[in-house]
Amino acid sequence: MNKWHNRFSVEEYVFGKEPNAFVVEAEHLISRGKVLCIAEGEGRNSVYLATKGHDVTAWDYAPSGIEKIKNLAAERGVGVKTELSDLTEVEWEEEKWDAIVHIFGHFPKPLFDRTMAGIQRSLKPGGLYVSELYTKEQLKYGTGGPGDLELLCDPKALLEKFDRYFVKHFFIGEEERIEGHGHTGLAHVVQSVFQKR
Ligand SMILES: C[S@@+](CC[C@H](N)C(=O)[O-])C[C@H]1O[C@@H](n2cnc3c(N)ncnc32)[C@H](O)[C@@H]1O
């Protein structure tokens, strides 16, 4: 089983039950339609989006995370479709999603490249890619995220990937993030809302 399954196999929600602040900020940009949350962990963002009336599917490869997503959705009285899904293998269907939400899912470069290509294939025209990721500067902050430079995001690489998209929002800089025990304190992040033309 993967390391995230072990990390999430505790009663507490490692990243808390409340949504990521950028998801809350960007929610009004997402039209009512099919929303996919990738690397969704324990469900805080997908459940929040479901409470706002979105039709939400959550993917993660940690079975314990999927269980927690289901429990949190039940606790909040909303429906979230869950799929145990490993991004190294997942099939990306063409033009399926109105929005894809990607919060602090950090991958080695080959998986990052695969995932970004999949997202672009799978968004409908007009669909949104919404993400908040730690930048490589985050190593100096020590307030969460991977301790491995390769896994942290290079904002320029992200912009290059989406160079054909309309940029609705793009931000690089410091944000305070208090999200369970997993993320605590001032952090260096890159936020994106890119729209497929
Ligand atoms: C830092 S957590 C973020 C969880 C969630 N997005 C949030 O903001 O609370 C990173 C997530 O990436 C998931 N992940 C890492 N590699 C993955 C892979 N190959 N396929 C699917 N999920 C993966 C982990 O299981 C974990 O839930």
Side-chain angles (χ1 to χ4, degrees):
M1 210 52 79
N2 59 66
K3 71 164 189 177
W4 284 103
H5 173 71
N6 297 333
R7 196 161 175 206
F8 293 148
S9 294
V10 290
E11 202 169 320
E12 73 151 338
Y13 277 63
V14 177
F15 299 109
K17 292 183 175 179
E18 300 314 315
N20 165 264
F22 181 61
V23 170
V24 176
E25 224 178 276
E27 186 277 328
H28 72 281
L29 298 172
I30 302 174
S31 60
R32 294 291 169 283
K34 283 177 175 298
V35 179
L36 172 66
C37 296
I38 62 163
E40 173 52 7
E42 305 156 289
R44 63 195 179 110
N45 301 313
S46 52
V47 169
Y48 167 75
L49 290 169
T51 65
K52 291 287 172 185
H54 297 280
D55 173 2
V56 190
T57 299
W59 285 357
D60 204 279
Y61 77 161
S64 56
I66 295 288
E67 235 6 76
K68 284 167 120 171
I69 298 174
K70 289 181 185 162
N71 292 341
L72 187 57
E75 193 179 298
R76 300 278 157 97
V78 293
V80 171
K81 291 170 215 114
T82 54
E83 292 175 20
L84 186 67
S85 173
D86 186 336
L87 291 167
T88 61
E89 305 175 340
V90 76
E91 294 283 332
W92 289 94
E93 284 178 55
E94 209 169 327
E95 297 187 3
K96 174 155 187 181
W97 306 103
D98 294 283
I100 297 178
V101 176
H102 175 201
I103 305 300
F104 298 131
H106 292 270
F107 315 121
K109 187 166 185 311
L111 182 56
F112 175 76
D113 290 347
R114 184 189 198 278
T115 303
M116 293 302 122
I119 287 170
Q120 297 192 4
R121 174 184 168 78
S122 213
L123 278 175
K124 292 180 188 169
L128 298 182
Y129 169 71
V130 178
S131 73
E132 182 169 90
L133 299 168
Y134 290 118
T135 74
K136 293 187 187 292
E137 302 292 336
Q138 174 63 10
L139 265 193
K140 297 179 214 134
Y141 289 71
T143 51
D148 176 349
L149 200 61
E150 197 220 332
L151 298 179
L152 291 163
C153 186
D154 172 359
K156 280 193 228 103
L158 195 59
L159 266 183
E160 274 166 25
K161 291 273 179 214
F162 285 89
D163 62 355
R164 296 196 178 167
Y165 281 57
F166 176 71
V167 179
K168 283 178 96 69
H169 172 93
F170 192 71
F171 168 83
I172 309 169
E174 292 183 334
E175 289 281 10
E176 193 80 23
R177 289 288 174 259
I178 310 292
E179 306 181 326
H181 289 122
H183 300 152
T184 51
L186 194 66
H188 204 272
V189 301
V190 51
Q191 301 168 343
S192 317
V193 181
F194 298 141
Q195 183 166 38
K196 189 169 182 174
R197 293 181 195 266

